[in-house]
């Protein structure tokens, strides 16, 4: 059966995103050549420009897919428990462990802010991981699990701490040990906001 134009477009865009994600994570944005991306994707340079406008537009689409994937993993991990505190901790750890993965780290936290700018990067982060975090904290506060505190302030505090934790873990030689240390520190930090 022949694909529709919409299906062909979606397939081309997805292939470009997949190839570019691999190259951006391995080589970095600056060193990933557009010619190599389109060659490996089996499309023309014109197709890249048509669908994404530029290399930066393609990078933004890759970053959005990384953030969406991490947000989905956070939800899946958090849903493994019925306890709101355990959901929060599992979700936070899922973010950190996902973001520190080689295929995500450079795109998400190193090249992302510099390529698309902090304002766009923060907006994208708020639409994905921070949104899930804010929703969980809001629900917990409404159910009486959190001390009275600004949910926006706590969301930004925890999000910033997790982003910094990912960068720190990336620089250590023992990622597993560092992840365990972050888990312990995060649990202790969150306990300070706990009411029950």
């Amino acid at each position: 059966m022949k694909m529709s134009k919409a299906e062909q477009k979606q397939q081309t865009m997805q292939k470009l995103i997949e190839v570019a994600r691999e190259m951006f994570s391995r080589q970095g944005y600056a060193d990933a050549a557009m010619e190599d991306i389109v060659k490996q994707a089996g499309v023309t340079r014109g197709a890249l420009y048509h669908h994404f406008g530029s290399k930066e537009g393609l990078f933004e689409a890759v970053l959005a897919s990384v953030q969406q994937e991490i947000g989905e993993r956070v939800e899946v991990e958090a849903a493994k428990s019925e306890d709101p505190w355990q959901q929060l901790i599992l979700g936070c750890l899922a973010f950190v462990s996902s973001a520190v993965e080689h295929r995500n780290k450079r795109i998400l936290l190193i090249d992302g802010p510099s390529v698309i700018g902090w304002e766009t990067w923060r907006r994208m982060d708020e639409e994905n991981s921070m949104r899930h975090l804010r929703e969980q904290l809001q629900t917990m506060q409404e159910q009486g699990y959190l001390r009275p505190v600004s949910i926006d302030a706590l969301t930004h505090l925890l999000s910033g701490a997790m982003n910094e934790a990912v960068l720190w873990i990336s620089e250590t030689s023992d990622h597993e040990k560092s992840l365990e240390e972050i888990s312990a520190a995060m649990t202790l930090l969150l306990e300070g906001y706990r009411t029950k």
Side-chain angles (χ1 to χ4, degrees):
M1 183 157 73
K2 191 175 176 185
M3 280 194 291
S4 70
K5 285 197 183 276
E7 289 170 330
Q8 288 174 350
K9 176 183 175 183
Q10 189 58 41
Q11 186 178 50
T12 300
M13 291 174 68
Q14 193 56 43
K15 184 66 176 170
L16 280 164
I17 289 171
E18 287 170 13
V19 169
R21 180 176 181 171
E22 176 60 32
M23 288 191 175
F24 291 151
S25 67
R26 195 170 12 114
Q27 300 170 8
Y29 175 81
D31 293 331
M34 285 180 43
E35 289 304 323
D36 294 338
I37 293 170
V38 296
K39 183 179 179 184
Q40 191 169 332
V43 300
T44 65
R45 192 178 179 117
L48 187 149
Y49 283 115
H50 174 71
H51 295 300
F52 299 103
S54 64
K55 181 180 175 184
E56 184 179 319
L58 176 58
F59 180 84
E60 189 170 337
V62 168
L63 176 59
S65 74
V66 168
Q67 289 187 328
Q68 181 180 357
E69 181 183 297
I70 290 173
E72 289 167 1
R73 285 176 64 182
V74 165
E75 280 192 273
V76 167
E77 288 301 309
K80 289 182 177 179
S81 176
E82 295 293 318
D83 176 62
W85 277 104
Q86 196 61 28
Q87 289 174 344
L88 179 61
I89 291 168
L90 288 171
C92 289
L93 292 178
F95 172 82
V96 172
S97 62
S98 298
V100 80
E101 288 176 6
H102 178 73
R103 61 187 247 114
N104 298 333
K105 173 186 62 180
R106 184 172 195 151
I107 293 168
L108 184 67
L109 296 174
I110 298 170
D111 286 343
S114 65
V115 172
I116 65 170
W118 274 107
E119 188 176 315
T120 302
W121 184 90
R122 290 186 75 217
R123 178 186 49 76
M124 291 174 76
D125 188 42
E126 285 188 28
E127 291 169 0
N128 291 285
S129 299
M130 282 182 68
R131 178 177 56 84
H132 296 298
L133 178 60
R134 181 181 286 109
E135 288 169 0
Q136 179 69 18
L137 292 171
Q138 185 68 49
T139 299
M140 289 175 71
Q141 191 172 60
E142 289 167 2
Q143 294 174 350
Y145 287 96
L146 281 179
R147 294 176 187 268
V149 65
S150 163
I151 295 301
D152 281 339
L154 186 56
T155 300
H156 282 86
L157 174 75
L158 294 175
S159 179
M162 287 186 285
N163 288 337
E164 184 60 32
V166 170
L167 293 172
W168 175 70
I169 291 170
S170 300
E171 295 171 356
T172 64
S173 58
D174 188 346
H175 287 194
E176 283 299 315
K177 181 180 180 216
S178 300
L179 192 56
E180 288 172 15
E181 291 172 351
I182 288 295
S183 174
M186 190 177 309
T187 301
L188 190 60
L189 172 70
L190 291 171
E191 285 294 323
Y193 295 97
R194 187 173 189 161
T195 58
K196 62 179 179 180

